[in-house]
Amino acid sequence: MDLAYSEEERDFRARLREWLVKVLPELPPRPSPDDWPGRRAYDLGWQRRLYDAGYAGLHWPVDAGGRGATPTQHLIFLEETERAGAPYVGANFVGLLHAGPTIAAEGTPEQRARWLPPVLRGDEVWCQGFSEPGAGSDLASLRTRAVRDGDAYVVTGSKIWTSHAEVADWCELLVRTDPAAPKHRGITWLAMPMDAPGVTVRPLRTLVGSAEFAEVFLDEVRVPAANRVGAENDGWRVTMVTLSFERGTAFVGEVVACRRTLGELARAAKANGRWDDPVLRRRLGRLYGEFGALWRLTQWNVSEAQGAGGVPGTGGSVFKLAYSHARQELYEAAAEVLGAQSLSLEEEWTAQRLSSLSYTIAAGTSQIQHNIVAERILGLPKGR
Amino acid sequence: MDFRLTRDQRDVRAGVRALLAGRYGREALRSDVERAAGAGVEPGAGAAPGAGVDRSLWRELGEAGFFSLRLPESEGGAGLGLPEAVLVFEEAGRVLLPGPLVATHLAAGVVPGAASGAAVVTAFDLDGPLVAHLGGADAVLGMPEVPAGVPVRSADPLTPLWRARGVLPAGYRDTGALLTAALQAGSALRTVELAVRYAGEREQFGQPIGGFQAVKHLCSGMLVRAEVARTAVYAAAVTGDSAEIAAAKMLADGAAVRGARDCLQVYGGMGFTWEADVHLHLKRAWVRAEQWRTAAGAEELLAEALLTEASASASASASASASASASASASAG
Ligand SMILES: Cc1cc2nc3c(=O)[nH]c(=O)nc-3n(C[C@H](O)[C@H](O)[C@H](O)COP(=O)(O)OP(=O)(O)OC[C@H]3O[C@@H](n4cnc5c(N)ncnc54)[C@H](O)[C@@H]3O)c2cc1C
């Protein structure tokens, strides 16, 4: 039980801070959510700066192009970049936080060499083609078909809610390769080029008003068999690796951001007199305690992952359940601080209040996370 | 940074767990409960034997280092710290070990006999005129003598209460709250286990009730709250920070009280019986939620800490933009 950072870790933090103080003032503001091509360029540009400064793929293995840093250093990186107000990972989310780590863990040497450096250098954007219109929570019932034809798979079907699909170069795609097998068995994980003939992307508007996810239609798309990660029909196991990264470490920086927001809320409430309302004040106090504990839980999970060779465990589901709920509570409290002003879409907190609604849905709904905790951690019997 | 338990800490925990399993297993708990409940039927039997502290148990806890754990070795202690203490108290919370454990631990090295378990020490750790374990106590933390009191029937059979006047001396509240939070976390983790075990055994509609999602979600919700609380307690033990301790207490109180209530629900009709231990966890959790630091007090303290931190970081960034050369050191806060 040690929360102190080693000298090496403190040095790392200090150097990173110095660098951030230097580069951040030079950055232009991030383009609006209506301008995805602009955002893509901006997010990749930031990734390129990280790469050039030696901060890309910190905790990825060295032979995957990473720096082989410890999960703790990665944690420090996320904490410091967020604290300094550095750009959000944005369009690089899937590549950096789950497709990349999955390829690093499960890919062949050729696959690592092909896909990982461009992610780290900020040359290519990935998206995640898992969900389908008929396969959301029950992901394993996906129907997008892939039929082997020579050295390629021919893929037909459709995906939905695919974030950043419009601007992505690659898609981590789940397809059904054996319709006769039990539903978890006949799935394969493919890397699909988004510019292949037969791929059509149709943007969907979110309730926030922006188009950050899309429907993707696949009409006899040829994907080279060499793009298969893991064995044919072994995609479900590979997917579990992807999801453990998605739930395990992907939200770390956001906890820091939420704590900063909480501070801004307190100052705003003090300024407009709402702080004198003990109910609101205590609500903010409780949230402060909760986010503090969530940060500690993050440190706990990172320490556990460090002990387990870097792969996050099922603790990610516990974290996601608590965090997604707390985040929604945070922006409900923000609306209370703002009062009627919260009806203005020009308030940053209003946009955040709207987008926080996705947190208990995306990356597996809270109900599904509860099932996972109950069955895989607590060992309760599978339901009918 | 490695937040995980060290080998030594895991050994401490395993040692206490084994000791308590032998010395205060379920039979001991139930026989204490029956004795206390029997004593309670006679009106005015406040200091009745069943309501007192078991002196031989107290001495054994003392011998095992329960109270002296944090005293320096030169004073007969084990020279351990708060992180080890919270592990020990978490185990005590799991088995519902009764008695003024926290107050006696805090009195070690201050009140003669407390460290060894020869003395039973209680404290005015509840708001208002109630105090627990007064009749069985040799001393009250920070008070020259044990005041007189009037027995009050207590919701928790193993926490007898008295109406009395007294004060809690300054300087103990944080540690008291932290160790009480550890007891709550232990109880919360235990009620998850009880619920999960029952849900795996009890059958309805031809299958274990744990296969039903409504039951599963109750159990996983209990685990989430208990894990968040436990982590908060461990971190607060490492940092010793007042606000972090208040948060740990607030979260652990919630995890223990709600956990026991949800466990009772999972047990169905059985949960409403005197036979099941669930009500004992709930009642003790209620007592502890009123001790040392209440949720309302914690929230106010945290609100104050939040505002202080927010104002400090606002003025830091203001001064950083005012002077470019200061910006590096200002943001290093
Ligand atoms: C902002 C956002 C971004 C996303 N980005 C991506 C992406 O990039 N790539 C991608 O592949 N997917 C993405 N998703 C999809 C997301 O993973 C799914 O929305 C999610 O898994 C839920 O699936 P669904 O929408 O089909 O809901 P459904 O599965 O239809 O669920 C509807 C409701 O029923 C409940 N429910 C369903 N089954 C059960 C059950 N067994 N027990 C209890 N309750 C149940 C759910 O909890 C939910 O409340 C994104 C979603 C959002 C909101």
Side-chain angles (χ1 to χ4, degrees):
Chain A
M1 246 190 254
D2 185 4
L3 291 165
Y5 292 95
S6 69
E7 199 177 320
E8 200 189 340
E9 289 162 347
R10 287 201 305 273
D11 274 357
F12 172 78
R13 190 191 291 275
R15 267 182 287 122
L16 175 58
R17 273 188 190 183
E18 235 171 84
W19 182 74
L20 287 167
V21 167
K22 237 181 15 235
V23 300
L24 291 182
E26 301 164 7
L27 292 182
R30 192 172 181 231
S32 84
D34 302 323
D35 176 12
W36 269 103
R39 279 208 164 181
R40 174 192 153 105
Y42 183 89
D43 295 346
L44 287 177
W46 172 242
Q47 181 61 27
R48 182 62 193 229
R49 274 178 182 258
L50 289 172
Y51 179 82
D52 289 341
Y55 291 117
L58 272 180
H59 65 309
W60 289 18
V62 175
D63 65 0
R67 301 254 142 195
T70 59
T72 300
Q73 277 172 317
H74 183 222
L75 183 78
I76 293 171
F77 171 80
L78 293 169
E79 187 183 10
E80 288 302 322
T81 44
E82 184 52 57
R83 181 177 286 165
Y88 175 61
V89 54
N92 291 312
F93 187 90
V94 172
L96 281 173
L97 297 176
H98 46 97
T102 304
I103 293 166
E106 298 287 332
T108 62
E110 295 75 34
Q111 291 175 334
R112 292 161 147 220
R114 166 62 191 87
W115 287 311
L116 299 180
V119 167
L120 295 182
R121 271 199 313 265
D123 288 342
E124 291 180 346
V125 167
W126 283 69
C127 63
Q128 180 188 32
F130 283 15
S131 307
E132 294 183 9
S137 300
D138 185 13
L139 182 58
S141 68
L142 61 92
R143 296 230 295 267
T144 292
R145 284 282 309 270
V147 181
R148 186 68 181 255
D149 177 28
D151 59 359
Y153 289 99
V154 179
V155 181
T156 300
S158 70
K159 295 287 170 178
I160 196 166
W161 322 128
T162 315
S163 304
H164 314 138
E166 259 188 295
V167 294
D169 304 288
W170 292 93
C171 177
E172 49 170 4
L173 187 74
L174 293 185
V175 294
R176 183 160 303 284
T177 33
D178 182 358
K183 67 178 189 175
H184 291 83
R185 297 276 164 72
I187 294 173
T188 298
W189 199 107
L190 296 178
M192 179 183 75
M194 290 296 283
D195 61 359
V199 178
T200 310
V201 176
R202 207 189 72 193
L204 291 165
R205 251 164 106 82
T206 71
L207 57 74
V208 187
S210 58
E212 64 195 41
F213 53 31
E215 255 177 305
V216 179
F217 300 95
L218 306 167
D219 183 16
E220 303 203 344
V221 180
R222 288 186 74 85
V223 179
N227 290 15
R228 188 187 69 221
V229 174
E232 185 170 293
N233 299 327
D234 192 27
W236 189 253
R237 191 187 57 75
V238 182
T239 303
M240 292 302 112
V241 174
T242 309
L243 293 181
S244 76
F245 282 107
E246 181 169 11
R247 290 163 193 161
T249 46
F251 302 104
V252 171
E254 297 184 13
V255 177
V256 182
C258 286
R259 293 181 74 184
R260 195 181 53 216
T261 301
L262 206 47
E264 289 163 8
L265 283 181
R267 289 206 300 272
K270 187 74 188 167
N272 73 8
R274 303 281 288 137
W275 187 258
D276 297 334
D277 171 0
V279 177
L280 176 64
R281 189 172 65 229
R282 282 180 51 185
R283 189 172 177 184
L284 294 177
R286 171 167 287 268
L287 281 166
Y288 181 62
E290 283 176 7
F291 277 102
L294 285 170
W295 177 248
R296 297 310 190 188
L297 188 59
T298 300
Q299 290 178 313
W300 180 268
N301 286 343
V302 164
S303 293
E304 291 278 329
Q306 195 148 312
V311 179
T314 32
S317 289
V318 171
F319 175 83
K320 186 182 185 281
L321 276 165
Y323 171 65
S324 55
H325 179 73
R327 187 179 174 104
Q328 289 174 355
E329 289 301 305
L330 173 68
Y331 288 105
E332 289 307 308
E336 209 180 316
V337 171
L338 288 173
Q341 184 61 25
S342 70
L343 300 175
S344 160
L345 274 182
E346 272 140 46
E347 290 291 347
E348 165 66 11
W349 292 335
T350 303
Q352 293 288 354
R353 183 189 192 191
L354 287 170
S355 74
S356 76
L357 297 171
S358 73
Y359 277 71
T360 46
I361 298 171
T365 68
S366 289
Q367 286 67 40
I368 296 301
Q369 302 304 317
H370 273 304
N371 289 349
I372 290 173
V373 170
E375 288 166 15
R376 295 201 213 136
I377 301 181
L378 295 176
L380 284 167
K382 279 207 165 290
R384 286 187 294 201
Chain B
M1 179 208 70
D2 188 357
F3 194 9
R4 290 175 305 159
L5 270 51
T6 62
R7 222 205 134 73
D8 285 349
Q9 287 169 340
R10 285 202 304 272
D11 288 347
V12 166
R13 180 164 73 180
V16 186
R17 188 173 291 191
L19 170 88
L20 291 177
R23 188 54 184 81
Y24 207 75
R26 182 158 192 275
E27 273 172 32
L29 169 70
R30 294 308 307 205
S31 82
D32 276 0
V33 169
E34 295 324 319
R35 207 148 13 98
V41 288
E42 292 164 48
V53 173
D54 178 344
R55 293 284 174 160
S56 73
L57 171 66
W58 217 245
R59 222 167 254 116
E60 283 174 63
L61 291 174
E63 274 161 32
F66 209 94
F67 306 118
S68 62
L69 186 69
R70 290 187 303 127
L71 286 184
E73 285 173 40
S74 57
E75 291 173 40
L80 296 174
L82 280 176
E84 289 74 24
V86 297
L87 294 175
V88 168
F89 276 73
E90 179 185 321
E91 293 303 317
R94 294 176 76 91
V95 300
L96 283 172
L97 197 62
L101 295 161
V102 172
T104 305
H105 178 97
L106 292 174
V110 179
V111 175
S116 67
V120 173
V121 185
T122 190
F124 277 87
D125 54 16
L126 295 160
D127 286 341
L130 291 180
V131 61
H133 299 290
L134 187 71
D138 302 308
V140 181
L141 195 63
M143 294 192 59
E145 57 196 34
V146 179
V150 180
V152 173
R153 286 190 60 198
S154 169
D156 175 16
L158 293 185
T159 310
L161 294 174
W162 276 262
R163 189 170 292 116
R165 281 189 185 287
V167 287
L168 181 67
Y172 291 104
R173 195 176 285 280
D174 278 351
T175 313
L178 176 67
L179 296 176
T180 307
L183 292 167
Q184 294 285 56
S187 175
L189 288 158
R190 179 69 186 141
T191 51
V192 186
E193 285 173 10
L194 290 174
V196 167
R197 194 203 297 156
Y198 192 78
E201 287 166 358
R202 172 75 175 165
E203 294 196 1
Q204 291 293 321
F205 302 97
Q207 71 172 85
I209 56 167
F212 299 117
Q213 206 170 54
V215 175
K216 270 186 197 162
H217 288 199
L218 277 176
C219 294
S220 65
M222 291 164 72
L223 182 77
V224 170
R225 290 190 301 267
E227 290 284 355
V228 172
R230 167 159 61 178
T231 315
V233 168
Y234 289 179
V238 173
T239 64
D241 174 73
S242 281
E244 194 150 16
I245 289 173
K249 177 68 164 50
M250 170 189 87
L251 292 166
D253 286 345
V257 172
R258 281 199 59 193
R261 289 179 56 173
D262 287 350
C263 182
L264 199 150
Q265 181 69 18
V266 169
Y267 268 63
M270 182 58 84
F272 198 68
T273 66
W274 189 264
E275 294 313 308
D277 295 344
V278 191
H279 68 104
L280 300 174
H281 278 280
L282 177 59
K283 292 165 179 173
R284 190 72 59 82
W286 280 348
V287 172
R288 294 182 190 129
E290 297 294 334
Q291 283 175 317
W292 300 102
R293 170 115 31 236
T294 61
E299 286 167 353
E300 286 287 6
L301 186 148
L302 287 162
E304 204 48 52
L306 165 63
L307 192 61
T308 307
E309 183 190 276
S311 318
S313 75
S315 57
S317 56
S319 69
S321 52
S323 131
S325 64
S327 70
S329 58
S331 66

